[in-house]
Amino acid sequence: MRRAGETFLQWGRALGLSAAAALCTPGWGQTSNTTQPTQPTQRVGECKQPVYLTFDTGHMGVAPLVAQVLRRQQVLVTFFMANERTLTGGSSLDDQWAPWWRDRAQEGHAFGSHTWDHEVWQADVPDGLVLKPTMGPQAGRRHRVSAAQYCQSLDKTAQRWADMMGSGPAQQAMGRIFRAPAGKTSPALIEAARGCGYTHVGWSAAGFLGDELSSERYPNEVLLSRALRDIRAGDILVAHLGIWSRQDPWAPAVLEPLIEGLKRKGMCFATLRDHPKFGQAARTAAVTAPALAFSHGHVD
């Protein structure tokens, strides 16, 4: 955490922020009381060569900057959310971050589940799945779940989302879309999620933006150049709201130049609500029961 925090401060200073300002940038665990979310200028149907930029949750260190860039560029994206550990010691879906998420909902972004404890598929077993979560009481331990328990994990994120949104003007239901952590799936996992109404969304080969790769082997300028060269209209792109392992954060250096570069190539940005394959699922509200605690069987 100390190393990640130092990195955050380093790029904060590069943007002209003092150490205190870097940690107090609106969205770093709080939202601004003076800056209201702006509405996108792009109208439905105007986007003729869309790409679909998506963000998975992470340590949230770059979340404030991401929000600023998206507002400035008038770009809508899709967020896939799990309850992940943050640089400040909380979690990405805790009460500290709820105002930040409400602002994103008011701006018109789309949302999907990334499981609750960021549970990475390991194997299929009779009548279930073996998962390895990175968060929660089972973090780092392989455990077996049934199809119904996997659905509960997807639904728990959707329920937390509904709780954060409340009944105010920012109310916007999470769609019935999900992304398996690390993108790891199996036919059994896809079928389990389909059984409770969720559609899996991966990403295009060219849309892997590389923000979780080693910055020594894949510096930001290389990732930006590759993305601008390879991305085509219709691609689904994936990045994160903070990666613990990358020493040179991707978003401060790459996100805005990437958006501007793709726009110059005639591309535009849309959420998955407008995707020809995933749109219906993304527009369908994830109706959930109250969040329930559920147990897992251990795998030796």
Side-chain angles (χ1 to χ4, degrees), residues 63-175:
L65 180 139
V66 168
Q68 292 163 8
V69 170
L70 297 180
R71 285 196 300 265
R72 185 161 53 243
Q73 293 290 333
Q74 297 289 280
V75 163
L76 294 178
V77 304
T78 303
F79 293 98
F80 288 96
M81 299 182 293
N83 192 45
E84 299 192 59
R85 180 167 58 99
T86 64
L87 287 180
T88 53
S91 63
S92 55
L93 300 182
D94 64 18
D95 289 344
Q96 195 174 25
W97 281 98
W100 190 89
W101 288 114
R102 285 194 288 268
D103 283 351
R104 307 291 78 75
Q106 189 174 5
E107 290 165 349
H109 300 284
F111 305 90
S113 182
H114 198 35
T115 74
W116 179 252
D117 284 330
H118 198 259
E119 297 162 274
V120 182
W121 176 85
Q122 302 289 295
D124 294 336
V125 292
D127 300 320
L129 308 165
V130 176
L131 308 175
K132 187 176 182 180
T134 64
M135 288 290 298
Q138 303 289 343
R141 302 173 64 185
R142 287 161 49 95
H143 60 87
R144 182 185 291 111
V145 300
S146 66
Q149 288 171 324
Y150 191 74
C151 285
Q152 288 179 10
S153 178
L154 296 173
D155 278 346
K156 188 173 182 179
T157 301
Q159 182 62 49
R160 173 55 184 160
W161 174 255
D163 293 344
M164 288 193 295
M165 293 301 102
S167 57
Q171 173 69 35
Q172 180 180 338
M174 178 180 290

Side-chain angles (χ1 to χ4, degrees), residues 45 89 200-201 244:
H200 184 259
V201 180
W244 290 95

Side-chain angles (χ1 to χ4, degrees), residues 159-286:
Q159 182 62 49
R160 173 55 184 160
W161 174 255
D163 293 344
M164 288 193 295
M165 293 301 102
S167 57
Q171 173 69 35
Q172 180 180 338
M174 178 180 290
R176 282 202 169 274
I177 52 175
F178 82 105
R179 174 169 290 152
K184 293 186 176 181
T185 67
S186 71
L189 183 147
I190 296 298
E191 186 58 34
R194 185 182 294 120
C196 52
Y198 285 90
T199 298
H200 184 259
V201 180
W203 54 82
S204 306
F208 178 71
L209 298 176
D211 65 336
E212 56 190 309
L213 299 176
S214 164
S215 54
E216 289 76 19
R217 295 183 59 190
Y218 299 93
N220 285 326
E221 57 269 23
V222 170
L223 295 179
L224 175 60
S225 175
R226 183 177 69 181
L228 289 174
R229 180 194 67 199
D230 295 343
I231 290 172
R232 298 290 183 269
D235 283 346
I236 297 175
L237 320 182
V238 59
H240 300 79
L241 296 177
I243 292 293
W244 290 95
S245 59
R246 188 172 176 86
Q247 298 307 301
D248 186 12
W250 173 90
V254 179
L255 178 58
E256 196 152 26
L258 174 63
I259 291 172
E260 292 174 339
L262 293 177
K263 285 180 176 179
R264 284 194 297 269
K265 295 179 72 173
M267 297 180 207
C268 47
F269 292 82
T271 74
L272 290 172
R273 288 192 296 263
D274 296 320
H275 192 277
K277 179 178 179 181
F278 302 114
Q280 182 174 351
R283 293 189 300 268
T284 301

